[in-house]
Amino acid sequence: MASHGVAKYNRAARTEEQRQQDLEKIEKYRQIEDSIRSQASAGTYDTALFQLTSKLLRLNPEYHTIWNVRRRCLISSLLSKSSTSNSSPDTMPTPHEDQSTSTTEQSASSTAADADSDADILRSELAFTVPLLVEFPKCYWLWGYRQWILEQAVLRLPTATATSIWEGELALDSKMLTKDRRNFHAWGYRRYLVARLETPELRGKSMVEDEFTYTTKMIRVDLSNFSAWHNRSRLIRRLLDERGADDKARAAFIEAELDQIREALNVGPEDQSLWYYHRYLILQLIHHSQESTIVPNLTVEERISYIEREIEDIKDLIEDYDDIKWVYEALLEYTLALGQLRQASQSTGGDDDRQNEELQTWLAKLRKLDPMQAGRWDDVEKELKSRRETT
Amino acid sequence: MSGIQELPDELQLATAQHVKYIQSLDTRKDEYDYWLTEHLRLNGLYWGLTSLYLLRHPDALPRDETIDFVLSCQHSNGGFGAAPGHDAHMLYTVSAVQILALVDALDELDKRGQGKAMVGKFIADLQNRETGTFSGDEWGEEDTRFLYGAFNALSLLGMMHLVDVDKAVNHIVACANFDGGYGVSPGAESHSGQIFTCVAALTIAGRKDLIDVDRLAGWLSERQVPSGGLNGRPEKKEDVCYSWWVLSSLAMIGRTHWIDREKLIGFILRSQDLEQGGISDRPGNMADVWHTIFGLAGLSLLGYPGLDAVDPVFCLPKTTMERVLGKAR
């Protein structure tokens, strides 16, 4: 009903034989579905019903109601009863919440055999969904179901066992991201796994260094992986805080990031992922008062000097890459930001006439290289004009 | 829209074929795919029916059967499933409310269903009162899609007072990224679909002042690729459904003129199936009702002739919104 990338074919062109095959498939599918419905409406969420859901979900992992039936079977029949009271849907914690139920308390009340059996069942649930996830990596319900299974592990298993299951999940997520480096389900899932692993219920220690290293690794494989750049941008603040980085260390950090992205831009200036990350770094330097930044104590003069250096380097890019629109877009944006910084600090520098001329040249380039955004360039031009009039 | 007259014949809107295509969707019970997609049935009805309204053929599907079907999907807790026998979920409940709004039958909820109040309660109970966001159902998956869905349906029901709007708004602000866009949850990468949900929810809440308009508009207009189509994230393929997610977001912040509208019209029209009807993700692919509605809604926002005007926040005809919000107030 929502097909992506499926080549066109003629529906009416089925042969009678193909039609018969379809009808047989439909009958088989609907038989399983009917059995599940009649059992579920009778309220017998037992092993037999559980096995029927396996059959149907292998045919159709998008069928979310069947995943719910499966969860009910697990709670009612397969998993141990000891912590059933904690597994009702409403108590499912979010990664941001500090959870009140104590794992140790529960494992004391349930027998070790229960925990072993629960661990086996939960592991087998994760194994059941792996081939489906590989085949349907964008199926929301599958990711949601795995998340629920993992929360059951936290509720029911000793910390060490639960942690090893969650760590296995992180390894699987890395595999999914090797297959599709941009899968936003897998990136979101990764952030969720890490946030939960960091809580005292599981590993209980920060993983920010490891995760930062992971983004470095992903970026080395593919500079165009904006998902990895994005994740990097979201880790830096915590990374520096946890390192206890002083002002000098912070300045050194942003310099190293700028060096890295500058090198990459010298090789691939047409790569918009690189420009977006560069823009992120520049925003840290511009430091609007309402936003926090990774380099909070740089003086305005230092900020100005960093941005000037970036602008000069980008101008050098024009010599080799005269026809890349991103170059001009960056020059325009950063130069205007620099002007505001200078104004705020009342510092002089930059010849206004020369700068206006440059801005006009870049804008003209943008109009030529990126005519699809003509309306945007019109607006920029109006803004430039009104700025000139007010200064 | 001076360019439209200059387009070749094959780039005209195939209204008759699209109407026929949508009418045929529920007659395909001998196709395996029909059964595999039952979990989208109620959404599909919303997509198909809204397409017909935009195409100015609102009576092409029987109104009574539509209402009967929608009500047959309702559970005693007020929520709706995708079809009879399917569990209730936010996504289907929103579609149900949208369909009833479209056919001017919201009153049927009180006459024959579980009542408007129960529908409102089902939705409002899915709000996480600590973070402000919403889950899809009792099993807890949270996503800005559900937050928007809740705002959309509750607005149509006139029941926004049931939820903590300020908390929800704070949550959206927490989902904002440096590029001006929004993700599924705080920390998630900007994504055009998610941007639509967040910008639309902020619009409903009357808090567009929280949007970094120029930065967001720049990111959105950079989604257009040389074919004229739009993609959902940097370095991804273009897809007709983003004609809606990107364009409606640009419309809500007053920046549709930042993209090449005529090239986008061409891209959508080239993605039509001129024989069997319907619109696909990109030219040459299999059409489906999801890409059909978002292609048509995109064309409508672009002012393409022969289509009714669509509301960029609710993805319903403007006439429907005027009628419903007039009543709700």
Side-chain angles (χ1 to χ4, degrees):
Chain A
M1 204 174 250
S3 44
H4 284 98
V6 182
K8 198 185 311 189
Y9 58 89
N10 189 350
R11 286 180 188 269
R14 269 189 308 177
T15 63
E16 185 48 33
E17 197 190 339
Q18 284 168 333
R19 193 174 164 270
Q20 281 309 320
Q21 281 171 359
D22 275 355
L23 290 177
E24 278 166 35
K25 268 163 58 180
I26 292 170
E27 204 194 323
K28 194 181 149 209
Y29 177 85
R30 296 201 66 197
Q31 263 174 10
I32 307 172
E33 188 187 32
D34 283 345
S35 314
I36 292 176
R37 283 189 181 175
S38 57
Q39 274 215 43
S41 59
T44 42
Y45 290 97
D46 58 9
T47 312
L49 180 55
F50 178 79
Q51 280 161 356
L52 283 173
T53 66
S54 306
K55 272 189 178 178
L56 197 63
L57 289 168
R58 281 199 189 99
L59 296 174
N60 187 6
E62 291 280 1
Y63 200 154
H64 84 111
T65 302
I66 308 302
W67 288 112
N68 297 346
V69 172
R70 193 173 178 90
R71 286 189 249 241
R72 292 187 188 107
C73 291
L74 285 171
I75 294 170
S76 307
S77 300
L78 282 92
L79 292 168
S80 64
K81 296 278 177 273
S82 56
S83 43
T84 313
S85 55
N86 293 317
S87 55
S88 77
D90 291 332
T91 61
M92 195 173 125
T94 67
H96 314 287
E97 255 171 55
D98 199 13
Q99 211 197 329
S100 52
T101 37
S102 147
T103 312
T104 41
E105 218 173 88
Q106 270 162 44
S107 34
S109 69
S110 60
T111 67
D114 273 350
D116 281 353
S117 154
D118 283 353
D120 286 347
I121 290 166
L122 295 174
R123 279 204 188 93
S124 129
E125 280 310 277
L126 293 173
F128 170 69
T129 47
V130 168
L132 297 174
L133 200 61
V134 170
E135 200 180 340
F136 302 93
K138 294 184 177 175
C139 175
Y140 282 97
W141 311 115
L142 269 171
W143 292 99
Y145 183 73
R146 290 186 80 89
Q147 199 167 317
W148 183 82
I149 292 293
L150 291 180
E151 294 297 347
Q152 293 302 310
V154 178
L155 287 170
R156 293 164 186 275
L157 306 181
T159 307
T161 317
T163 304
S164 91
I165 289 178
W166 278 71
E167 283 169 348
E169 199 66 0
L170 194 59
L172 174 100
D173 188 79
S174 299
K175 270 190 202 157
M176 294 300 290
L177 283 174
T178 313
K179 286 171 67 76
D180 176 0
R181 299 190 276 257
R182 295 295 304 281
N183 185 335
F184 82 86
H185 297 275
W187 278 104
Y189 196 61
R190 183 173 195 91
R191 282 183 287 267
Y192 159 77
L193 292 173
V194 169
R196 285 291 271 142
L197 269 164
E198 286 176 333
T199 63
E201 292 165 274
L202 294 163
R203 254 193 200 176
K205 56 176 200 269
S206 169
M207 294 169 70
V208 72
E209 289 284 352
D210 288 350
E211 285 305 291
F212 187 74
T213 306
Y214 180 75
T215 67
T216 310
K217 193 183 114 194
M218 292 300 276
I219 290 158
R220 291 219 171 111
V221 173
D222 174 11
L223 281 172
S224 295
N225 187 345
F226 181 69
S227 303
W229 288 112
H230 162 83
N231 214 36
R232 191 177 184 85
S233 79
R234 301 294 303 215
L235 292 166
I236 293 174
R237 187 158 306 152
R238 247 185 83 204
L239 182 85
L240 293 176
D241 287 349
E242 288 183 18
R243 282 179 184 176
D246 59 11
D247 292 341
K248 212 175 129 196
R250 284 169 185 270
F253 181 90
I254 199 164
E255 277 172 36
E257 289 298 286
L258 285 167
D259 285 346
Q260 171 181 240
I261 203 90
R262 196 181 306 117
E263 269 170 46
L265 283 172
N266 275 320
V267 193
E270 68 293 323
D271 188 331
Q272 53 180 313
S273 301
L274 300 177
W275 286 109
Y276 281 125
Y277 187 68
H278 194 260
R279 199 179 275 173
Y280 160 77
L281 294 173
I282 297 290
L283 282 171
Q284 305 306 305
L285 294 168
I286 292 170
H287 183 28
H288 287 300
S289 54
Q290 67 270 32
E291 289 166 20
S292 53
T293 162
I294 59 170
V295 280
N297 296 327
L298 286 182
T299 63
V300 182
E301 289 69 31
E302 284 169 323
R303 292 171 200 283
I304 289 173
S305 124
Y306 277 120
I307 297 174
E308 280 175 341
R309 152 128 207 236
E310 290 309 303
I311 290 175
E312 285 314 308
D313 281 325
I314 297 170
K315 282 184 186 168
D316 288 346
L317 274 180
I318 299 179
E319 287 171 27
D320 294 319
Y321 305 102
D322 181 36
D323 56 351
I324 306 281
K325 68 158 182 167
W326 304 102
V327 173
Y328 301 101
E329 209 180 309
L331 285 173
L332 202 66
E333 183 183 334
Y334 301 164
T335 303
L336 290 173
L338 187 63
Q340 282 178 327
L341 265 184
R342 282 198 182 120
Q343 226 169 18
S345 73
Q346 318 246 304
S347 78
T348 50
D351 169 348
D352 277 355
D353 286 342
R354 212 193 93 219
Q355 198 180 77
N356 277 331
E357 207 172 297
E358 276 181 332
L359 289 170
Q360 291 302 331
T361 312
W362 298 330
L363 192 57
K365 272 283 185 186
L366 280 170
R367 285 187 183 282
K368 191 167 149 250
L369 295 170
D370 189 6
M372 287 197 300
Q373 294 194 77
R376 180 181 179 188
W377 311 133
D378 287 345
D379 284 358
V380 173
E381 180 145 23
K382 275 181 223 154
E383 202 196 317
L384 289 181
K385 208 176 155 215
S386 76
R387 274 182 199 225
R388 273 202 307 276
E389 281 161 4
T390 52
T391 49
Chain B
M1 295 293 109
S2 59
I4 287 158
Q5 290 75 22
E6 295 151 30
L7 290 167
D9 286 350
E10 64 266 28
L11 284 188
Q12 300 294 332
L13 183 65
T15 300
Q17 288 94 316
H18 296 325
V19 171
K20 244 171 112 177
Y21 166 75
I22 292 161
Q23 287 175 318
S24 79
L25 289 172
D26 207 47
T27 64
R28 296 180 173 182
K29 295 180 182 165
D30 63 344
E31 292 180 26
Y32 190 40
D33 203 43
Y34 177 89
W35 297 101
L36 288 184
T37 56
E38 196 180 58
H39 64 282
L40 293 172
R41 196 70 77 232
L42 203 53
N43 307 133
L45 183 54
Y46 157 70
W47 298 326
L49 202 59
T50 307
S51 300
L52 291 173
Y53 272 68
L54 295 181
L55 288 163
R56 298 179 176 161
H57 284 71
D59 301 323
L61 289 180
R63 181 175 182 273
D64 289 350
E65 280 175 41
T66 296
I67 297 169
D68 290 347
F69 177 73
V70 171
L71 293 177
S72 75
C73 300
Q74 195 175 26
H75 289 248
S76 55
N77 64 3
F80 289 78
H86 288 246
D87 284 357
H89 191 281
M90 177 76 83
L91 292 175
Y92 313 120
T93 306
V94 177
S95 286
V97 173
Q98 287 176 304
I99 294 165
L100 294 177
L102 198 55
V103 301
D104 194 10
L106 283 170
D107 294 348
E108 299 284 337
L109 286 171
D110 285 324
K111 283 185 209 152
R112 289 195 284 150
Q114 303 294 328
K116 268 186 208 169
M118 283 299 283
V119 182
K121 186 179 183 313
F122 174 82
I123 295 171
D125 284 352
L126 290 170
Q127 183 172 34
N128 180 330
R129 296 283 164 168
E130 268 170 49
T131 66
T133 191
F134 285 76
S135 51
D137 62 14
E138 60 190 304
W139 302 100
E141 186 197 355
E142 294 180 339
D143 186 322
T144 43
R145 287 181 303 150
F146 307 144
L147 189 161
Y148 161 71
F151 274 25
N152 180 325
L154 290 175
S155 300
L156 295 173
L157 293 168
M159 292 183 172
M160 279 294 283
H161 60 276
L162 294 180
V163 293
D164 190 333
V165 175
D166 290 344
K167 272 217 167 131
V169 165
N170 289 342
H171 178 77
I172 297 172
V173 170
C175 294
N177 289 311
F178 75 86
D179 49 29
Y182 299 86
V184 174
S185 57
E189 182 184 347
S190 295
H191 178 289
S192 303
Q194 243 57 55
I195 290 171
F196 163 79
T197 65
C198 291
V199 171
L202 288 174
T203 305
I204 292 172
R207 293 308 310 273
K208 280 203 277 190
D209 60 297
L210 296 168
I211 300 169
D212 189 345
V213 171
D214 281 344
R215 194 167 297 283
L216 174 59
W219 191 90
L220 288 168
S221 61
E222 278 157 8
R223 304 279 58 79
Q224 193 164 32
V225 300
S227 71
L230 304 163
N231 62 21
R233 289 185 287 158
E235 321 273 0
K236 301 285 284 184
K237 270 190 178 174
E238 68 274 32
D239 182 323
V240 160
C241 60
Y242 293 109
S243 309
W244 176 254
W245 314 124
V246 175
L247 191 66
S248 60
S249 301
L250 285 169
M252 288 183 266
I253 57 175
R255 293 287 188 283
T256 54
H257 61 289
W258 280 25
I259 61 164
D260 188 329
R261 289 170 283 189
E262 297 198 352
K263 274 196 120 171
L264 177 57
I265 289 176
F267 175 76
I268 300 173
L269 291 174
R270 283 199 307 282
S271 303
Q272 297 178 105
D273 184 332
L274 296 176
E275 286 88 44
Q276 303 172 82
I279 300 175
S280 59
D281 57 349
R282 61 187 74 96
N285 283 347
M286 197 67 191
D288 60 71
V289 66
W290 154 276
H291 288 96
T292 302
I293 176 55
F294 294 122
L296 292 173
L299 289 173
S300 165
L301 265 190
L302 291 161
Y304 192 88
L307 289 168
D308 259 15
V310 71
D311 182 291
V313 182
F314 290 89
C315 198
L316 285 169
K318 280 197 163 164
T319 48
T320 303
M321 291 315 300
E322 282 156 20
R323 171 170 48 74
V324 175
L325 291 189
K327 266 187 198 173
R329 274 193 202 112

